Amino acid sequence: MRQLTNHKVFDGWQEGLLAAALTGVPVAVLLATVPSSRGAATAALVIGMVAGALLLTATLVFYLHWLTVPRPHHGWVACAMVVLASQVLVSSGLGLTEADRGIAALQWVSAVDLVVTGAALALVILSARGVPAPDPLLMGVVLGVALTALQVAELATSVSPPPTLLTVSMLVTIAAGHLAIASLVWREDELPRWARGRLVVTICLIGVAHVARSGLVDNRVTDLATALALTGAAALWTSATIVMLREALADQRERSAGLEGSLLEIESSWRGSREQLHEIRSTIAGAASASRLLGDHNVEAATHARLERAIRTELDRLERLINQQPPAEPGPVDLDTTLDVLLTFHEAQGRSISWEPTGATVEASPDDVAEALNILIDNAAIHGGTSSSIAVTHADSTVEISVSDEGPGVPTEARHKIFDWGVRGNSSRGQGIGLNLARRLMSSHGGSLTLADSTTRGSSFVIRLPAARTSKENHVHDFRHPA
């Protein structure tokens, strides 16, 4: 992780070079073509306006980064940068309009620079003390407008230059203020080290530009120093904010992908738990009813034996379901045996189900076949009343098992989504889980579960599974009719 963080120091220089080109080209033109000091001063002010606009744009990008990755203290830093960038832009623009005022106007601009430095320092101190920040863009704009008004008022009232000692004192204070701002920003641990480094240099270069343009020394060197300092500041801050926003968005995308994956895992686990509970509830209800019948002395011996075998078989399946044991390997499944166990449970609950043994066998997992059939039989009883029927037919290499009821049937508008997870009719007492699970279980063995077209009352669900290839050695016998 540290290698990645250190590598970021070099990342984003493409953006920095672009920003440097946008502000550095005017500097190169100035160096090569401007013959007079007055022209150089004007060019420096133009460059200052461009740099100020870039600094404001970069600060807006930093504000977007703050919105993407909200950090309570970053708001004050963003607000301070809005104030500093606004002063660069406004003072350069007003300097162009007041070029005729000369040195006096420039030296009094330092007074406004001092106020701006103090305001930015106060904002960064609030950040260092952990004070929650308001919306930085709104607050920065308000302060920027106020300082612009102060700048206009200063230009309207100043006539003669301030005393040299006062000017020097203001410049020293401005330089010290920017160093103090840079020092506090460097301690902002919530910012990456590489970003803090570029921001610190940006603040120092803005301070250098304020001192150089003070008018205390009026020559081409100070004009070029101002232009170069602001060019460097704009390039560094623009490249830093673009990289920070890009990384924040990438991090957000990564977190969103991780969150989506976690939600899918949770949903899958939740669905699995509900499906398991759905089958457990049905099996326990049948086992409880069968157990009560075992205590009835009027039950015939043959029925008593069927009940005992059914309870043992279903409780074994229930144990495998609860312990989440892997399903048995697909093999020949005797449908007569499977249905006899299930129907014993359902009949113990007072349900009437007509069915005739056929001796058919299918190729699948015994537990999966039992679970799917139990779901269909349970649904037929819930939605179709106590009477239903099961028909098993063998066609070529496929066995069809139809579970039909005499209920109201499935409305036409609901047929296309009846197998969707969680979907159930308005009057349904089910949970919308069983049919989806049963279809998935059958599909996993190369089979299918469909809702048959019917013009009569009720509904009919049809399971189609590959028929088992049996021989004398592996023929599956019905436990009720031993060979």
Side-chain angles (χ1 to χ4, degrees):
M1 178 62 71
R2 176 169 293 275
Q3 282 184 337
L4 181 62
T5 302
N6 290 338
H7 175 69
K8 297 303 179 188
V9 177
F10 303 100
D11 193 11
W13 283 109
Q14 298 90 339
E15 294 86 353
L17 288 174
L18 176 61
L22 291 175
T23 54
V25 168
V27 175
V29 172
L30 175 67
L31 288 171
T33 63
V34 176
S36 65
S37 59
R38 183 181 180 85
T42 301
L45 290 172
V46 172
I47 292 170
M49 288 188 64
V50 175
L54 277 175
L55 287 169
L56 271 177
T57 303
T59 304
L60 178 59
V61 174
F62 185 62
Y63 172 72
L64 295 176
H65 172 269
W66 177 80
L67 291 177
T68 306
V69 187
R71 301 289 174 83
H73 306 159
H74 285 186
W76 294 117
V77 177
C79 187
M81 288 306 299
V82 170
V83 171
L84 291 175
S86 297
Q87 172 61 4
V88 171
L89 177 62
V90 172
S91 61
S92 298
L94 291 177
L96 285 174
T97 62
E98 299 290 334
D100 294 336
R101 299 281 305 272
I103 299 301
L106 285 176
Q107 291 183 0
W108 279 112
V109 167
S110 296
V112 180
D113 290 341
L114 181 60
V115 174
V116 169
T117 303
L121 180 59
L123 294 171
V124 176
I125 289 174
L126 290 174
S127 173
R129 291 187 176 181
V131 178
D135 188 283
L137 184 62
L138 177 61
M139 187 173 183
V141 169
V142 171
L143 289 175
V145 171
L147 293 171
T148 300
L150 178 63
Q151 182 88 38
V152 173
E154 179 272 327
L155 289 173
T157 57
S158 61
V159 178
S160 59
T164 302
L165 182 58
L166 178 58
T167 301
V168 172
S169 300
M170 288 191 296
L171 296 179
V172 171
T173 306
I174 289 170
H178 280 78
L179 289 175
I181 295 171
S183 176
L184 291 171
V185 167
W186 182 251
R187 298 175 188 176
E188 287 283 345
D189 293 335
E190 290 184 347
L191 279 173
R193 183 184 180 89
W194 65 268
R196 278 182 284 151
R198 295 193 192 182
L199 182 52
V200 163
V201 176
T202 296
I203 293 169
C204 291
L205 287 174
I206 292 175
V208 169
H210 286 330
V211 172
R213 72 174 181 183
S214 64
L216 190 62
V217 178
D218 182 29
N219 55 41
R220 183 188 294 266
V221 174
T222 57
D223 292 331
L224 294 181
T226 301
L228 290 172
L230 293 178
T231 298
L236 284 172
W237 185 225
T238 301
S239 64
T241 54
I242 290 175
V243 173
M244 281 193 290
L245 180 59
R246 186 173 64 196
E247 289 189 0
L249 293 175
D251 185 60
Q252 289 291 89
R253 286 193 296 270
E254 184 177 346
R255 290 186 179 186
S256 297
L259 181 60
E260 183 179 359
S262 298
L263 289 176
L264 289 175
E265 290 180 6
I266 293 172
E267 182 182 8
S268 176
S269 176
W270 174 72
R271 284 190 175 192
S273 298
R274 286 196 63 186
E275 291 170 352
Q276 187 182 49
L277 184 61
H278 180 276
E279 184 62 15
I280 289 172
R281 184 185 294 112
S282 174
T283 304
I284 289 177
S289 299
S291 298
R292 284 193 294 270
L293 287 177
L294 286 177
D296 188 347
H297 299 293
N298 297 322
V299 174
E300 297 180 358
T303 303
H304 195 280
R306 285 184 63 206
L307 289 170
E308 286 184 339
R309 285 193 294 267
I311 290 173
R312 283 198 304 270
T313 301
E314 282 298 273
L315 288 182
D316 287 344
R317 184 170 71 88
L318 183 62
E319 182 181 10
R320 292 191 294 273
L321 180 66
I322 293 175
N323 294 332
Q324 297 183 345
Q325 296 178 4
E329 290 294 325
V333 179
D334 180 8
L335 291 180
D336 290 351
T337 303
T338 303
L339 284 169
D340 183 76
V341 170
L342 294 174
L343 296 185
T344 299
F345 266 33
H346 286 278
E347 289 169 355
Q349 299 177 65
R351 297 168 177 174
S352 175
I353 306 168
S354 63
W355 163 70
E356 290 294 333
T358 62
T361 58
V362 295
E363 190 77 17
S365 165
D367 285 353
D368 289 350
V369 173
E371 187 169 357
L373 286 171
N374 189 48
I375 288 170
L376 295 183
I377 296 169
D378 197 47
N379 275 7
I382 292 175
H383 303 294
T386 58
S387 179
S388 57
S389 63
I390 299 175
V392 180
T393 58
H394 194 294
D396 297 329
S397 59
T398 303
V399 174
E400 292 188 359
I401 311 159
S402 300
V403 180
S404 306
D405 61 61
E406 298 178 358
V410 179
T412 304
E413 64 274 10
R415 295 177 68 90
H416 70 284
K417 57 182 179 180
I418 191 67
F419 292 102
D420 292 348
W421 202 96
V423 173
R424 60 188 181 90
N426 295 331
S427 60
S428 172
R429 292 177 290 162
Q431 302 175 41
I433 296 174
L435 290 176
N436 178 272
L437 174 59
R439 170 176 269 192
R440 295 203 325 267
L441 290 174
M442 295 301 91
S443 296
S444 67
H445 296 289
S448 64
L449 171 59
T450 58
L451 174 60
D453 295 329
S454 176
T455 57
T456 60
R457 179 177 175 81
S459 58
S460 180
F461 289 89
V462 181
I463 289 177
R464 293 179 178 85
L465 283 169
R469 296 181 179 179
T470 59
S471 64
K472 293 182 179 180
E473 289 75 17
N474 65 3
H475 183 72
V476 181
H477 295 283
D478 186 340
F479 70 83
R480 296 168 301 138
H481 304 288

